[in-house]
Amino acid sequence: MNKIIEFKDVSFKYEEEAAEVIKNLNLDFYEGQFTCVLGHNGSGKSTMAKLINALNIPTSGHVLTFGYDTADESNEVDIRRKVGMVFQNPDNQIVATIVEDDVAFGPENLGVPREEIRRRVDEALNIVDMYEYRRHEPHRLSGGQKQRVAIAGIIAMQTNCIVLDEPTAMLDPKGRREVMKALAKLNKELGISVILVTHFMDEAVNADRVVVMNDGRVALDGTPSEVFGQGELLRSMGLTVPKALELADELRKNGVSISGAPLTTEQFLEEYKKVLGKI
């Protein structure tokens, strides 16, 4: 797989005298991957995300985004054509009073011709299942719908990668499911690289890769099974494990021999049925 983002000995702090939030970080992200970045509050995961598209600039070291050094101001536009960002609060990202105008905002700023903008806006809204709301006022939408509009705006800019910084933190369970479904579609059907920063363990179970940040460094990096299989280490860092795995662990403590490490409800039920079949 091709590297699209490279962190090379990166450190970062917000003020001259402040402690480093990112500490000598070496980390690569790859084309077409769906990567979840986990970590407790203050672990550095959101700071790391903002380093990817030059919202933060390294105090030392280098971040290369699609080969562009983020510390070079002349690269800023090229970087943001390649990587779009979606933040926690969708209300802070919506700039227009009509949904389709909001989705068109990014391509307009890039100087895309009007007819092409129309095509991109319709396509992007269809991808996130929001086309029927194209003439609605964004403030009348639910949180999950607003976040999908924000994602559509990034799709319309035709970025190669989307970085999302806790995009479901302010949403209810239905809104979280809507956003995760849209992200899976972008990644699997369109091949867009997704980097999702989250504190919801269950959002990471279907990712290609899970990176756990702790104290400004990478603590764990692997597949969901590899990472969540180290439950005690995760708990020592103030994190939990997916609900299905937590339930399996509790049953084992009470003498029920659930095998494996089920990460989803479906996997748990499959293992539990095997137990029932032995009774």
Side-chain angles (χ1 to χ4, degrees):
M1 285 186 290
N2 296 325
K3 290 181 187 178
I4 57 173
I5 296 154
E6 300 174 67
F7 283 74
K8 297 183 174 183
D9 301 317
V10 173
S11 295
F12 177 82
K13 54 185 176 182
Y14 284 99
E15 296 176 3
E16 187 74 26
E17 303 302 320
E20 287 182 338
V21 182
I22 300 294
K23 302 173 182 177
N24 198 39
L25 179 65
N26 288 282
L27 179 64
D28 298 328
F29 293 95
Y30 297 90
E31 184 178 23
Q33 265 194 345
F34 193 124
T35 304
C36 272
V37 181
L38 306 175
H40 61 77
N41 290 338
S43 64
K45 62 186 188 299
S46 291
T47 300
M48 182 276 297
K50 293 181 178 74
L51 284 159
I52 290 173
N53 79 336
L55 288 174
N56 291 333
I57 302 300
T59 307
S60 63
H62 296 276
V63 178
L64 300 180
T65 298
F66 286 88
Y68 296 104
D69 191 328
T70 61
D72 185 341
E73 285 186 21
S74 67
N75 290 333
E76 194 172 282
V77 173
D78 289 312
I79 288 169
R80 291 175 188 174
R81 284 177 186 268
K82 291 287 189 180
V83 179
M85 283 205 71
V86 176
F87 297 99
Q88 188 176 111
N89 188 345
D91 289 321
N92 293 342
Q93 296 172 252
I94 291 174
V95 297
T97 56
I98 300 297
V99 164
E100 63 182 4
D101 292 343
D102 192 79
V103 177
F105 182 77
E108 284 174 350
N109 282 344
L110 295 175
V112 176
R114 185 175 295 276
E115 287 184 9
E116 174 64 9
I117 290 175
R118 178 73 267 166
R119 187 194 68 77
R120 288 192 191 186
V121 168
D122 290 347
E123 180 181 59
L125 287 170
N126 273 310
I127 288 169
V128 298
D129 295 324
M130 287 297 291
Y131 182 76
E132 65 183 284
Y133 296 92
R134 64 192 181 281
R135 303 197 193 283
H136 284 227
E137 297 173 342
H139 72 272
R140 296 184 182 277
L141 301 177
S142 69
Q145 289 171 330
K146 288 177 184 176
Q147 204 60 293
R148 283 188 282 158
V149 170
I151 293 169
I154 300 298
I155 297 169
M157 292 173 68
Q158 294 192 343
T159 60
N160 301 73
C161 175
I162 298 181
V163 179
L164 304 102
D165 185 13
E166 306 225 36
T168 64
M170 302 181 69
L171 306 182
D172 59 20
K174 180 176 181 290
R176 288 202 293 274
R177 287 193 298 272
E178 290 173 352
V179 170
M180 292 306 297
K181 180 182 176 184
L183 293 180
K185 186 175 182 179
L186 293 185
N187 179 248
K188 301 307 178 192
E189 295 182 19
L190 301 182
I192 294 174
S193 307
V194 175
I195 300 171
L196 172 65
V197 175
T198 182
H199 64 268
F200 291 111
M201 301 299 112
D202 289 291
E203 290 183 355
V205 297
N206 292 314
D208 298 314
R209 176 188 180 198
V210 177
V211 174
V212 179
M213 299 282 295
N214 188 52
D215 195 27
R217 299 182 175 90
V218 173
L220 290 169
D221 185 353
T223 65
S225 294
E226 289 168 345
V227 169
F228 292 123
Q230 301 188 60
E232 289 308 311
L233 180 55
L234 289 170
R235 292 183 183 97
S236 74
M237 292 185 283
L239 300 174
T240 59
V241 297
K243 293 182 180 65
L245 183 54
E246 193 170 357
L247 180 56
D249 287 344
E250 285 300 316
L251 287 173
R252 286 191 196 101
K253 289 176 186 176
N254 287 279
V256 180
S257 56
I258 297 283
S259 62
L263 301 181
T264 66
T265 301
E266 292 75 18
Q267 290 171 358
F268 173 83
L269 289 174
E270 189 175 325
E271 293 301 326
Y272 191 62
K273 285 175 183 174
K274 292 177 184 177
V275 174
L276 293 179
K278 295 176 182 177
I279 297 174

